[in-house]
Amino acid sequence: DAGVIQSPRHEVTEMGQEVTLRCKPISGHDYLFWYRQTMMRGLELLIYFNNNVPIDDSGMPEDRFSAKMPNASFSTLKIQPSEPRDSAVYFCASSPLGQLNTEAFFGQGTRLTVV
Amino acid sequence: DAKTTQPNSMESNEEEPVHLPCNHSTISGTDYIHWYRQLPSQGPEYVIHGLTSNVNNRMASLAIAEDRKSSTLILHRATLRDAAVYYCILRDNYGGSQGNLIFGKGTKLSVKP
């Protein structure tokens, strides 16, 4: 397996534009997580899914943020409209869940810059 | 609400053991203790996890207090490549709505040659 795949790796966009980040989890993993990381706030959990169903989106900062998981092999995080304060590295991670088999694997991240 | 407390930073000398502490006084009976680390410019990576007994793997050892209110990640011989931020996380491995994975501030480990 190629691991968790995120695209794009880098995104530069103008304020007000729509941004879509994509994630392909590892096949067979039940859980998918979206995180945002900044120097000021560290690694924040935005939302996570269990079997494609959103379980907790309390970390999504505003209504401008939305996430979907239409099937087990794909998820998107959308920001509309984007603002400069959304600039951060966004990570997607997936994991199984069990007493022994529980390692979460992270993608390489998408570095978003909103100017 | 990370539910764990770690020192902000620690220093170690290369090839010496490192003991990274973590307090989790509000741990519940179904919480597993997980450790992840994040190398510079990379995403976090799994290190080890355990429930009650001490655990060993190729990367590290995890020592869990008898009352489970604290744990220690042990790197037996620190190398320069071990310089990273280390996160101690509680996760309910029995799933459902408790399967989230919340990171705190972590401990930034510096390794001196």
Side-chain angles (χ1 to χ4, degrees), chain B residues 63-91:
Chain B
I64 301 173
E66 196 168 335
D67 64 4
R68 302 208 325 125
K69 293 185 177 182
S70 66
S71 61
T72 302
L73 180 71
I74 302 166
L75 306 179
H76 296 285
R77 288 183 65 196
T79 69
L80 297 178
R81 290 177 297 174
D82 291 323
V85 178
Y86 287 78
Y87 298 95
C88 169
I89 302 162
L90 301 183
R91 188 184 190 196

Short mmCIF file of all heavy atoms in Angstrom, two decimals, chain B residues 63-91:
data_model
loop_
_atom_site.label_atom_id
_atom_site.label_comp_id
_atom_site.label_asym_id
_atom_site.label_seq_id
_atom_site.Cartn_x
_atom_site.Cartn_y
_atom_site.Cartn_z
N ALA B 63 6.65 2.27 29.47
CA ALA B 63 6.47 1.83 30.85
C ALA B 63 5.22 2.52 31.39
O ALA B 63 5.11 3.75 31.36
CB ALA B 63 7.69 2.21 31.69
N ILE B 64 4.27 1.72 31.89
CA ILE B 64 2.99 2.23 32.37
C ILE B 64 2.91 2.02 33.87
O ILE B 64 3.14 0.91 34.36
CB ILE B 64 1.82 1.52 31.66
CG1 ILE B 64 1.93 1.74 30.15
CG2 ILE B 64 0.48 2.03 32.19
CD1 ILE B 64 0.94 0.93 29.34
N ALA B 65 2.58 3.09 34.60
CA ALA B 65 2.46 2.99 36.05
C ALA B 65 1.33 2.03 36.42
O ALA B 65 0.38 1.84 35.65
CB ALA B 65 2.18 4.37 36.63
N GLU B 66 1.45 1.46 37.59
CA GLU B 66 0.47 0.47 38.03
C GLU B 66 -0.95 1.05 38.08
O GLU B 66 -1.92 0.38 37.74
CB GLU B 66 0.86 -0.07 39.40
CG GLU B 66 0.15 -1.35 39.79
CD GLU B 66 0.76 -2.00 41.02
OE1 GLU B 66 1.96 -1.76 41.29
OE2 GLU B 66 0.02 -2.72 41.71
N ASP B 67 -1.08 2.32 38.50
CA ASP B 67 -2.40 2.95 38.56
C ASP B 67 -2.81 3.56 37.22
O ASP B 67 -3.88 4.16 37.10
CB ASP B 67 -2.46 4.01 39.67
CG ASP B 67 -1.51 5.16 39.42
OD1 ASP B 67 -0.87 5.20 38.36
OD2 ASP B 67 -1.39 6.03 40.29
N ARG B 68 -1.95 3.46 36.22
CA ARG B 68 -2.16 3.94 34.84
C ARG B 68 -2.30 5.46 34.74
O ARG B 68 -2.69 5.97 33.71
CB ARG B 68 -3.38 3.28 34.20
CG ARG B 68 -3.30 1.78 34.14
CD ARG B 68 -4.06 1.11 33.02
NE ARG B 68 -5.31 1.74 32.65
CZ ARG B 68 -5.61 2.14 31.42
NH1 ARG B 68 -4.73 2.00 30.44
NH2 ARG B 68 -6.78 2.68 31.16
N LYS B 69 -1.96 6.17 35.77
CA LYS B 69 -2.12 7.62 35.72
C LYS B 69 -0.89 8.31 35.13
O LYS B 69 -0.87 9.54 34.98
CB LYS B 69 -2.43 8.16 37.11
CG LYS B 69 -3.80 7.71 37.60
CD LYS B 69 -4.17 8.34 38.92
CE LYS B 69 -5.58 7.93 39.33
NZ LYS B 69 -6.01 8.56 40.60
N SER B 70 0.11 7.56 34.81
CA SER B 70 1.29 8.12 34.15
C SER B 70 1.98 7.03 33.34
O SER B 70 1.75 5.83 33.57
CB SER B 70 2.26 8.72 35.17
OG SER B 70 2.79 7.70 35.99
N SER B 71 2.79 7.47 32.41
CA SER B 71 3.57 6.53 31.61
C SER B 71 4.86 7.20 31.18
O SER B 71 4.99 8.44 31.26
CB SER B 71 2.77 6.05 30.39
OG SER B 71 2.43 7.13 29.54
N THR B 72 5.79 6.39 30.71
CA THR B 72 7.08 6.91 30.27
C THR B 72 7.49 6.22 28.97
O THR B 72 7.47 4.98 28.90
CB THR B 72 8.17 6.65 31.32
OG1 THR B 72 7.79 7.26 32.56
CG2 THR B 72 9.51 7.22 30.88
N LEU B 73 7.80 7.02 27.99
CA LEU B 73 8.35 6.48 26.75
C LEU B 73 9.87 6.45 26.89
O LEU B 73 10.48 7.46 27.26
CB LEU B 73 7.96 7.36 25.56
CG LEU B 73 8.50 6.89 24.21
CD1 LEU B 73 7.78 5.62 23.77
CD2 LEU B 73 8.34 7.98 23.16
N ILE B 74 10.45 5.31 26.59
CA ILE B 74 11.89 5.15 26.76
C ILE B 74 12.54 4.90 25.41
O ILE B 74 12.21 3.92 24.71
CB ILE B 74 12.19 3.97 27.71
CG1 ILE B 74 11.52 4.21 29.07
CG2 ILE B 74 13.70 3.80 27.89
CD1 ILE B 74 11.46 2.99 29.96
N LEU B 75 13.45 5.77 25.05
CA LEU B 75 14.30 5.55 23.88
C LEU B 75 15.63 5.06 24.44
O LEU B 75 16.30 5.77 25.20
CB LEU B 75 14.50 6.84 23.09
CG LEU B 75 13.23 7.58 22.66
CD1 LEU B 75 13.59 8.85 21.89
CD2 LEU B 75 12.33 6.68 21.83
N HIS B 76 16.03 3.87 24.09
CA HIS B 76 17.16 3.25 24.78
C HIS B 76 18.49 3.88 24.44
O HIS B 76 19.36 3.99 25.29
CB HIS B 76 17.15 1.75 24.51
CG HIS B 76 15.94 1.07 25.06
ND1 HIS B 76 15.80 0.83 26.41
CD2 HIS B 76 14.81 0.65 24.47
CE1 HIS B 76 14.62 0.24 26.63
NE2 HIS B 76 14.00 0.12 25.47
N ARG B 77 18.64 4.31 23.20
CA ARG B 77 19.86 4.99 22.78
C ARG B 77 19.47 6.07 21.79
O ARG B 77 19.19 5.79 20.63
CB ARG B 77 20.84 4.02 22.13
CG ARG B 77 21.51 3.05 23.08
CD ARG B 77 22.51 2.19 22.35
NE ARG B 77 23.62 2.99 21.81
CZ ARG B 77 24.46 2.57 20.88
NH1 ARG B 77 24.31 1.37 20.35
NH2 ARG B 77 25.44 3.34 20.46
N ALA B 78 19.43 7.29 22.25
CA ALA B 78 18.97 8.38 21.39
C ALA B 78 19.97 8.62 20.25
O ALA B 78 21.19 8.58 20.46
CB ALA B 78 18.82 9.65 22.21
N THR B 79 19.43 8.85 19.08
CA THR B 79 20.25 9.25 17.94
C THR B 79 19.79 10.63 17.48
O THR B 79 18.72 11.11 17.89
CB THR B 79 20.10 8.27 16.77
OG1 THR B 79 18.78 8.39 16.23
CG2 THR B 79 20.32 6.83 17.22
N LEU B 80 20.56 11.24 16.64
CA LEU B 80 20.20 12.57 16.15
C LEU B 80 18.87 12.53 15.41
O LEU B 80 18.10 13.50 15.41
CB LEU B 80 21.30 13.12 15.24
CG LEU B 80 22.66 13.34 15.92
CD1 LEU B 80 23.67 13.85 14.89
CD2 LEU B 80 22.56 14.30 17.08
N ARG B 81 18.55 11.38 14.80
CA ARG B 81 17.30 11.24 14.07
C ARG B 81 16.09 11.14 14.97
O ARG B 81 14.96 11.18 14.51
CB ARG B 81 17.37 10.02 13.16
CG ARG B 81 18.32 10.17 11.98
CD ARG B 81 18.39 8.90 11.17
NE ARG B 81 18.93 7.80 11.96
CZ ARG B 81 19.00 6.54 11.54
NH1 ARG B 81 18.56 6.23 10.36
NH2 ARG B 81 19.52 5.61 12.31
N ASP B 82 16.32 10.98 16.27
CA ASP B 82 15.21 10.92 17.22
C ASP B 82 14.75 12.31 17.65
O ASP B 82 13.78 12.43 18.40
CB ASP B 82 15.60 10.12 18.45
CG ASP B 82 15.77 8.63 18.15
OD1 ASP B 82 14.98 8.11 17.33
OD2 ASP B 82 16.69 8.02 18.73
N ALA B 83 15.43 13.34 17.22
CA ALA B 83 15.01 14.70 17.56
C ALA B 83 13.66 14.98 16.89
O ALA B 83 13.54 14.93 15.66
CB ALA B 83 16.04 15.71 17.09
N ALA B 84 12.65 15.21 17.72
CA ALA B 84 11.28 15.34 17.22
C ALA B 84 10.40 15.84 18.35
O ALA B 84 10.84 15.97 19.49
CB ALA B 84 10.77 13.98 16.73
N VAL B 85 9.14 16.07 18.02
CA VAL B 85 8.13 16.34 19.05
C VAL B 85 7.42 15.02 19.34
O VAL B 85 6.94 14.36 18.42
CB VAL B 85 7.12 17.41 18.61
CG1 VAL B 85 6.07 17.62 19.70
CG2 VAL B 85 7.83 18.72 18.29
N TYR B 86 7.36 14.65 20.60
CA TYR B 86 6.76 13.39 21.01
C TYR B 86 5.42 13.66 21.70
O TYR B 86 5.35 14.46 22.64
CB TYR B 86 7.69 12.63 21.96
CG TYR B 86 8.87 12.04 21.24
CD1 TYR B 86 9.96 12.83 20.87
CD2 TYR B 86 8.88 10.69 20.89
CE1 TYR B 86 11.03 12.30 20.17
CE2 TYR B 86 9.96 10.14 20.20
CZ TYR B 86 11.02 10.95 19.84
OH TYR B 86 12.08 10.41 19.15
N TYR B 87 4.40 12.99 21.23
CA TYR B 87 3.03 13.20 21.73
C TYR B 87 2.54 11.95 22.47
O TYR B 87 2.65 10.84 21.96
CB TYR B 87 2.07 13.47 20.58
CG TYR B 87 2.36 14.71 19.77
CD1 TYR B 87 3.10 14.63 18.59
CD2 TYR B 87 1.87 15.96 20.16
CE1 TYR B 87 3.34 15.76 17.82
CE2 TYR B 87 2.12 17.09 19.39
CZ TYR B 87 2.85 16.98 18.23
OH TYR B 87 3.10 18.10 17.48
N CYS B 88 1.99 12.19 23.63
CA CYS B 88 1.35 11.13 24.41
C CYS B 88 -0.16 11.35 24.30
O CYS B 88 -0.65 12.45 24.56
CB CYS B 88 1.81 11.24 25.86
SG CYS B 88 0.92 10.24 27.06
N ILE B 89 -0.90 10.33 23.88
CA ILE B 89 -2.32 10.48 23.57
C ILE B 89 -3.11 9.33 24.18
O ILE B 89 -2.65 8.18 24.16
CB ILE B 89 -2.52 10.47 22.04
CG1 ILE B 89 -1.72 11.58 21.37
CG2 ILE B 89 -4.00 10.59 21.68
CD1 ILE B 89 -1.52 11.37 19.89
N LEU B 90 -4.28 9.64 24.68
CA LEU B 90 -5.20 8.59 25.14
C LEU B 90 -6.22 8.32 24.05
O LEU B 90 -6.79 9.25 23.48
CB LEU B 90 -5.92 9.01 26.42
CG LEU B 90 -5.03 9.35 27.62
CD1 LEU B 90 -5.91 9.68 28.83
CD2 LEU B 90 -4.07 8.22 27.94
N ARG B 91 -6.43 7.05 23.77
CA ARG B 91 -7.41 6.70 22.75
C ARG B 91 -8.18 5.47 23.19
O ARG B 91 -7.58 4.49 23.63
CB ARG B 91 -6.74 6.43 21.41
CG ARG B 91 -7.74 6.24 20.26
CD ARG B 91 -7.06 5.89 18.96
NE ARG B 91 -8.01 5.96 17.85
CZ ARG B 91 -7.79 5.42 16.65
NH1 ARG B 91 -6.67 4.77 16.40
NH2 ARG B 91 -8.70 5.52 15.70
#
